[in-house]
Amino acid sequence: MVRAVNDDAEEEEEEEEDIEEFNVGYEGEDEQGCKGSKKPQQPAQRCEWRVRCTMGKRNGGLIDWDTFENSYTFKRAFICPSATRGILRYCEKVVALDACFTKNKKYPTQLFLATVVDENSQVVPLAYAVAPVENYENWSWFVHNLQISILGLRSEAVMIVSDRQKGLERTVTEVLPCNPHIHCGHHLKMNVQKLFGKTAVQVFQNLLHAKSEDSFNSVMEEAEARLDQGSEFKRYIQRIDPARYALYAMPLPKYGRTTSNVVECMNAALKRIRDYAPCRIICQMWLYLLNLFCERRVKANSSTDELTEYCKERMEEFGQNCGSFVCMSVDTNQALVQTDGGRQQWIVKRTPKAQCTCIEPQDHCWPCIHFMSWLRSRSEDYMAYVDRIYLQKSLALCYSKTIPVIMETELAMSISCRAPPPAIRTGQHRVVRIPNGGSTAGASTIEFEYPLTQEPRVIPVATIDLPTGSRGGASGRRNTGARCCGVCREAGHNRTRCPVLAHMA
């Protein structure tokens, strides 16, 4: 069931919208989960008000709330506020996808996230979801809702970065066939280290940052001779398309993002929220995004700089360090930049965008230190070669829309549902300590294990008759050199044949 929430009622170009009003009932919510009921409740136990929903319109936020078949039990939910639907045009065109475990032991689920990085190098969640498990079915459902919700996502100009989870890789290929899909470099390095050792990781790092096909091939040849398993390493690497990870083969700028760590950073920021039950996580994430947009919108509108703070710092750093380069202009559109007496050199070109053999302008969409050295030698301004996403006004537009203020229970109230099925643990045991009568002092204890699926048995102290011989007793001391029972400390039998435990059975 899909609900779209409209939180931008003053859109001038908006067409007439079909508004549906409905009453919802909600029993309450605590840290253990979201409880609801389809039956009418007493006025003192319910929160009831009208929710205005826009069904499927352009500026509405998408809410896909799913339950199990023939049941009102919560299964999964997808949330995308309308404020995040159009911000991809103002952010770096790299969308990171990943899922992480929630930390609620009673209701273990997975938190799905899609994130981007804005002009100020800040992580922004586009959409999130809560589902029981990370598999192909849930990833297909999540990415399908994502490409419906996020404007401009399904395009050849937007790159997807993720790990090599089988369900996720297959889903991106099917749902977003036009988008370039790259693998997380960190996960690839961990796989290489597991298979071929730490030396192979250094070689793979050089492959990851290779700036041309010739350098990539030369590193591959060196790896075959350098590593003990060089031929196997080469065959393993050749099975992976270089366009999925190598810098030189990237079809689009990736803004220096070689991994999906932006999602991992967001998972760490949501550490407290992940402690809650699934329905509580959904509401807390909404409030987190509300505060996030509010704080960043105020900060962006208060700045008077032309560039964002992140871009401005990098450009100032380049300007301070570019004095050591020697520039020799070939013509008005090309130059040779050298340093260290000609030991290192780069070729820079003037096109509608800056280009350099260091590949940083093509990858970050701003002039590199070598290009800025050439521009400074010609007394030219670098602003024309900075991508417009790094302008301060773009940052203000990114956070211009507001997320509506809602109560913590309002999202969960959209559809009445019961809490998800609790986790069932089997095969695990825990130790129970029961007071030991012994010599009627009650100072010692008996320890035994029982499965979690059974109820603990309460044994009255008076019914426990422990022998108090010279080799055991309430003191728990054991004679050296004698094999005694671990329960009653008496010699002649072991723990499995102890009369005390036999009496308890």
Side-chain angles (χ1 to χ4, degrees):
M1 187 176 295
V2 178
R3 296 281 188 261
V5 180
N6 181 25
D7 58 5
D8 190 11
E10 298 181 356
E11 188 73 22
E12 296 181 357
E13 300 178 1
E14 184 71 7
E15 300 176 358
E16 292 185 356
E17 301 173 348
D18 299 328
I19 303 298
E20 177 184 354
E21 296 184 356
F22 56 96
N23 292 327
V24 291
Y26 186 70
E27 184 182 21
E29 178 184 356
D30 56 13
E31 294 186 3
Q32 298 301 321
C34 167
K35 297 181 180 180
S37 175
K38 189 179 179 182
K39 298 180 180 180
Q41 303 173 10
Q42 298 296 329
Q45 298 178 349
R46 68 182 303 187
C47 299
E48 183 179 286
W49 60 88
R50 295 180 181 272
V51 181
R52 296 172 61 86
C53 282
T54 305
M55 308 302 293
K57 288 299 180 179
R58 177 171 58 88
N59 289 325
L62 183 66
I63 300 177
D64 187 355
W65 195 294
D66 198 1
T67 58
F68 289 97
E69 295 182 1
N70 302 323
S71 172
Y72 285 90
T73 304
F74 173 86
K75 180 181 180 181
R76 58 190 182 185
F78 173 90
I79 309 293
C80 178
S82 63
T84 65
R85 294 195 64 190
I87 67 173
L88 187 59
R89 73 183 74 176
Y90 307 115
C91 298
E92 298 177 357
K93 304 301 185 293
V94 179
V95 178
L97 304 177
D98 200 4
C100 65
F101 286 99
T102 59
K103 296 185 290 182
N104 189 289
K105 296 182 180 180
K106 185 175 182 180
Y107 302 110
T109 53
Q110 294 271 353
L111 176 62
F112 291 69
L113 284 174
T115 62
V116 291
V117 180
D118 66 6
E119 306 89 324
N120 210 21
S121 191
Q122 302 173 122
V123 183
V124 188
L126 291 177
Y128 60 96
V130 176
V133 67
E134 183 181 5
N135 56 14
Y136 166 73
E137 178 187 358
N138 289 326
W139 269 122
S140 179
W141 162 80
F142 177 78
V143 178
H144 177 74
N145 283 328
L146 188 67
Q147 63 95 13
I148 294 176
S149 307
I150 305 302
L151 302 178
L153 176 63
R154 196 168 185 173
S155 170
E156 297 179 355
V158 180
M159 193 152 49
I160 308 296
V161 57
S162 68
D163 56 16
R164 301 177 68 191
Q165 206 271 346
K166 293 182 180 180
L168 177 55
E169 188 172 4
R170 176 184 170 188
T171 296
V172 174
T173 304
E174 294 177 354
V175 182
L176 302 172
C178 301
N179 298 64
H181 184 202
I182 64 175
H183 297 316
C184 174
H186 176 73
H187 288 83
L188 290 177
K189 285 191 292 185
M190 293 299 100
N191 294 338
V192 168
Q193 179 176 348
K194 182 178 179 180
L195 295 174
F196 305 104
K198 293 184 179 181
T199 307
V201 174
Q202 301 175 358
V203 176
F204 181 79
Q205 190 77 12
N206 297 332
L207 295 175
L208 192 67
H209 297 283
K211 299 177 181 179
S212 64
E213 186 176 2
D214 294 337
S215 61
F216 183 88
N217 294 333
S218 62
V219 172
M220 188 72 75
E221 294 175 0
E222 293 176 2
E224 190 173 5
R226 178 181 176 183
L227 301 177
D228 297 335
Q229 299 175 318
S231 58
E232 298 179 5
F233 173 81
K234 185 176 180 179
R235 285 195 296 270
Y236 176 80
I237 295 299
Q238 287 177 345
R239 289 198 296 266
I240 308 174
D241 187 4
R244 295 291 185 95
Y245 64 94
L247 178 62
Y248 83 94
M250 287 294 165
L252 296 173
K254 62 178 183 178
Y255 305 91
R257 315 292 173 187
T258 59
T259 67
S260 59
N261 286 348
V262 291
V263 187
E264 302 294 341
C265 295
M266 183 55 60
N267 292 338
L270 302 175
K271 184 177 181 180
R272 181 184 62 84
I273 295 177
R274 289 161 54 196
D275 289 334
Y276 298 125
C279 296
R280 188 84 182 269
I281 289 176
I282 295 170
C283 301
Q284 289 291 331
M285 277 291 300
W286 183 280
L287 298 177
Y288 174 82
L289 286 175
L290 189 154
N291 295 327
L292 186 75
F293 268 66
C294 182
E295 293 174 359
R296 294 181 180 178
R297 179 168 59 252
V298 172
K299 186 177 179 180
N301 293 332
S302 61
S303 178
T304 57
D305 297 328
E306 188 175 1
L307 297 177
T308 61
E309 183 179 353
Y310 170 66
C311 182
K312 183 180 178 181
E313 291 179 357
R314 293 303 304 269
M315 294 300 104
E316 290 178 353
E317 180 183 355
F318 290 164
Q320 294 174 0
N321 299 329
C322 65
S324 60
F325 294 92
V326 179
C327 305
M328 295 179 289
S329 299
V330 178
D331 52 35
T332 57
N333 296 324
Q334 188 173 350
L336 179 66
V337 180
Q338 296 180 345
T339 188
D340 295 337
R343 295 179 182 177
Q344 294 181 337
Q345 57 184 12
W346 299 266
I347 299 176
V348 298
K349 296 181 180 180
R350 185 203 303 271
T351 57
K353 295 183 178 180
Q355 291 187 5
C356 182
T357 51
C358 72
I359 310 185
E360 182 171 353
Q362 297 92 305
D363 188 49
H364 288 78
C365 298
W366 60 31
C368 63
I369 188 172
H370 316 113
F371 196 87
M372 286 191 64
S373 301
W374 182 50
L375 293 178
R376 174 169 292 192
S377 65
R378 297 176 60 89
S379 301
E380 297 183 15
D381 189 16
Y382 64 86
M383 285 296 299
Y385 301 96
V386 177
D387 196 279
R388 62 182 181 86
I389 69 169
Y390 294 109
L391 300 179
Q392 187 68 32
K393 59 183 180 181
S394 297
L395 183 64
L397 289 173
C398 180
Y399 298 103
S400 60
K401 291 188 178 181
T402 60
I403 296 179
V405 179
I406 62 171
M407 296 184 65
E408 185 175 328
T409 56
E410 185 170 340
L411 267 180
M413 287 180 52
S414 297
I415 298 177
S416 296
C417 66
R418 293 187 293 269
I424 300 177
R425 297 183 179 89
T426 58
Q428 300 183 16
H429 295 74
R430 66 183 178 186
V431 176
V432 173
R433 303 175 66 87
I434 296 181
N436 178 356
S439 59
T440 68
S444 62
T445 57
I446 299 176
E447 295 184 2
F448 70 96
E449 296 182 352
Y450 73 96
L452 289 177
T453 55
Q454 300 179 6
E455 292 293 333
R457 301 183 61 184
V458 179
I459 309 297
V461 175
T463 63
I464 303 178
D465 185 16
L466 288 180
T468 57
S470 60
R471 298 182 180 179
S475 63
R477 293 192 181 94
R478 179 182 301 176
N479 291 341
T480 59
R483 299 180 62 85
C484 302
C485 174
V487 175
C488 65
R489 309 297 184 186
E490 187 70 25
H493 62 270
N494 56 15
R495 187 184 184 92
T496 59
R497 299 178 181 178
C498 180
V500 175
L501 293 183
H503 179 73
M504 291 181 180

